[in-house]
């Protein structure tokens, strides 16, 4: 297996159809799911020659901390569906790769246990807000006490998207696979289901609530799910340290722009006042380079790391991360950039429109 597509193909053979549909699928007609990948392919690189460089590195600084590469693990729910160690194995892979894993609220490991299992790992926590503010607070406190370095508030899921693959396969999260973070915050001694968890979430989030959260939180708060310049600007004005330009991997509202297509306007709106991350469809090191050239500080990957975990557990996820890092390093070298920070909009141009004769 030499690239992410190879891992995806092997994972697709290995996983049972319901589980595969849950991880691979998107909402509605999956237009946005496909566009996420396609959008990066609509750019071409403008490499520079004779730059006199002989060393290249993928290291970056993000929110004041060093990372081995500008690529983090996106929050992905229920990772024990594909590996018995789930999020713990994923966090070990991220630690070995020198990057951050963002743990989902809907993870099968609670923040405190992840911190204990992988103390050396760098971690962020993805927060869903609950109607009961005490639950939201308890989740946030557990993460901050457990050394999670940022809170990523996901704002694009007041309800779950219309995932037709799950309807067709009849997929349900197996009984007994609960949501330990939420169980702990509720003080529940039994597994809570995904349906129960969604029913407890707050659909009516507002910018003032976000501002309150950010002001009560001792670590930086990022807003995940922003797709337009208005919301990018509002996030910063309401105390966020940055945004994640994201459409939830095409799983929420179908026919919204791809992450790569929404990125430039968010970058322009934020004007350096906060961090800009992007996710959706990153499958190659060159996709990462294009995102950075368009102004992102870093990217996240969801499914690629998940396919690695499904195929080979911790070692599989580690291999996917290393493949992407190496691909990025080679692109940097061939573009004449010593580091990711040197990529600018001058390093990309739009791909030509397909010709009548291009077959
Ligand atoms: C199966 C699955 C579960 C996800 N669960 C969450 C979640 O719990 N919270 C969240 O903010 N995003 C969640 N996401 C979205 C990812 O964080 C990320 O935005 C998306 O996967 C990026 O697209 P990619 O998979 O093409 O890299 C999930 C994505 C997938 C595929």
């Amino acid at each position: 297996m030499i690239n992410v597509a190879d891992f995806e193909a092997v994972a697709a053979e290995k996983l049972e159809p319901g589980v595969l549909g849950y991880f691979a699928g998107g909402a509605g007609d999956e237009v946005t799911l496909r566009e996420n990948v396609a959008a990066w392919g609509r750019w071409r690189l403008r490499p520079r020659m004779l730059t006199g460089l002989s060393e290249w590195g993928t290291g970056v600084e993000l929110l004041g901390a060093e990372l081995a590469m500008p690529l983090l693990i996106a929050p992905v729910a229920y990772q024990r569906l594909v590996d018995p160690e789930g999020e713990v194995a994923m966090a070990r892979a991220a630690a070995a790769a020198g990057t951050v894993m963002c743990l989902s609220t809907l993870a099968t490991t609670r923040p405190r246990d992840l911190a204990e299992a992988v103390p050396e790992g760098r971690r962020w926590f993805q927060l869903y807000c609950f109607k009961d503010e005490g639950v939201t607070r308890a989740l946030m406190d557990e993460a901050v006490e457990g050394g999670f370095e940022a809170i990523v508030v996901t704002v694009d899921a007041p309800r779950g998207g219309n995932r037709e693959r799950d309807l067709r396969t009849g997929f349900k999260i197996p009984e007994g696979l609960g949501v330990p973070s939420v169980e702990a915050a509720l003080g529940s001694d039994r597994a809570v289901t995904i349906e129960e968890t969604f029913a407890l979430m707050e659909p009516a989030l507002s910018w003032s609530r976000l501002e309150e959260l950010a002001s009560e939180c001792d670590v930086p708060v990022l807003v995940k799910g922003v797709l337009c310049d208005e919301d990018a600007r509002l996030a910063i004005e309401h105390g966020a340290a940055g945004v994640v330009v994201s459409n939830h991997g095409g799983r929420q509202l179908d026919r919204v722009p791809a992450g790569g297509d929404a990125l430039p306007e968010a970058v322009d709106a934020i004007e350096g006042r906060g961090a800009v991350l992007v996710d959706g469809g990153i499958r190659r090191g060159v996709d990462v380079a294009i995102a950075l050239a368009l102004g992102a500080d870093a990217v996240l990957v969801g499914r690629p790391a998940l396919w690695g975990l499904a195929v080979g557990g911790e070692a599989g996820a580690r291999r996917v991360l290393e493949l992407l890092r190496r691909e990025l390093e080679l692109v940097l070298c061939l573009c004449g950039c010593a580091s990711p920070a040197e990529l600018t909009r001058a390093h990309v141009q739009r791909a030509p429109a397909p010709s009548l004769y291009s077959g």
Side-chain angles (χ1 to χ4, degrees), residues 19-335:
V19 174
L20 175 64
Y22 174 70
F23 285 101
D29 295 313
E30 301 189 334
V31 172
T32 295
L33 177 73
R34 290 188 293 277
E35 279 281 291
N36 273 349
V37 174
W40 303 114
R42 289 194 285 263
W43 291 94
R44 296 289 176 268
L45 295 166
R46 290 183 76 240
R48 297 300 309 277
M49 306 299 151
L50 305 177
T51 51
L53 295 172
S54 59
E55 279 181 40
W56 306 269
T58 54
V60 287
E61 198 187 302
L62 184 64
L63 299 179
E66 303 287 326
L67 290 180
M69 61 176 157
L71 180 144
L72 297 78
I73 312 280
V76 169
Y78 290 107
Q79 294 182 13
R80 268 176 225 260
L81 282 171
V82 304
D83 177 83
E85 284 198 297
E87 290 82 1
V88 171
M90 188 71 98
R92 290 201 178 111
T99 191
V100 162
M101 174 195 173
C102 186
L103 183 75
S104 167
T105 291
L106 301 179
T108 49
T109 303
R110 65 185 274 199
R112 195 181 69 186
D113 294 346
L114 191 85
E116 264 174 35
V118 195
E120 74 280 16
R122 303 272 307 279
R123 48 195 174 269
W124 292 2
F125 183 66
Q126 177 266 318
L127 180 71
Y128 279 124
C129 290
F130 286 74
K131 289 176 194 154
D132 179 343
E133 288 180 11
V135 172
T136 313
R137 182 82 238 176
L139 287 166
M140 203 161 81
D141 287 350
E142 178 168 331
V144 173
E145 280 160 26
F148 287 69
E149 296 169 46
I151 300 289
V152 178
V153 182
T154 297
V155 296
D156 58 9
R159 290 171 61 183
N162 169 31
R163 319 234 174 102
E164 293 189 354
R165 291 202 209 192
D166 294 349
L167 298 176
R168 285 193 202 286
T169 61
F171 177 73
K172 291 259 174 298
I173 304 290
E175 256 177 58
L177 199 60
V179 186
S181 67
V182 175
E183 287 149 22
L186 291 170
S188 166
D189 54 7
R190 62 168 189 88
V192 296
T193 64
I194 182 79
E195 293 81 13
E196 287 171 316
T197 305
F198 262 102
L200 295 169
M201 286 179 192
E202 176 58 273
L205 271 187
S206 62
W207 289 112
S208 60
R209 177 75 188 109
L210 190 270
E211 184 162 347
E212 237 172 61
L213 265 180
S215 71
E216 290 166 3
C217 189
D218 295 335
V219 298
V221 168
L222 302 166
V223 179
K224 176 170 182 278
V226 165
L227 286 171
C228 62
D229 59 4
E230 296 93 322
D231 284 344
R233 215 170 280 119
L234 282 165
I236 299 302
E237 286 165 12
H238 288 85
V243 298
V244 182
V245 176
S246 172
N247 52 43
H248 215 113
R251 298 166 70 76
Q252 283 299 107
L253 181 59
D254 194 25
R255 306 213 198 172
V256 296
D261 286 336
L263 174 65
E265 69 178 84
V267 168
D268 292 345
I270 287 187
E271 295 180 303
R273 290 172 294 158
V276 183
L277 288 82
V278 64
D279 73 16
I282 297 274
R283 302 293 180 264
R284 285 282 191 186
V286 65
D287 300 333
V288 183
I290 288 164
L292 299 185
L294 293 174
D297 294 293
V299 306
L300 299 96
V301 293
R303 295 180 184 88
L306 209 284
W307 305 142
L309 185 68
V311 169
E314 176 193 335
R318 219 168 54 205
R319 172 101 177 104
V320 165
L321 293 173
E322 183 52 19
L323 278 174
L324 288 168
R325 199 199 63 77
R326 276 199 223 152
E327 285 182 5
L328 172 63
E329 190 178 72
L330 181 59
V331 172
L332 288 171
C333 163
L334 297 179
C335 277

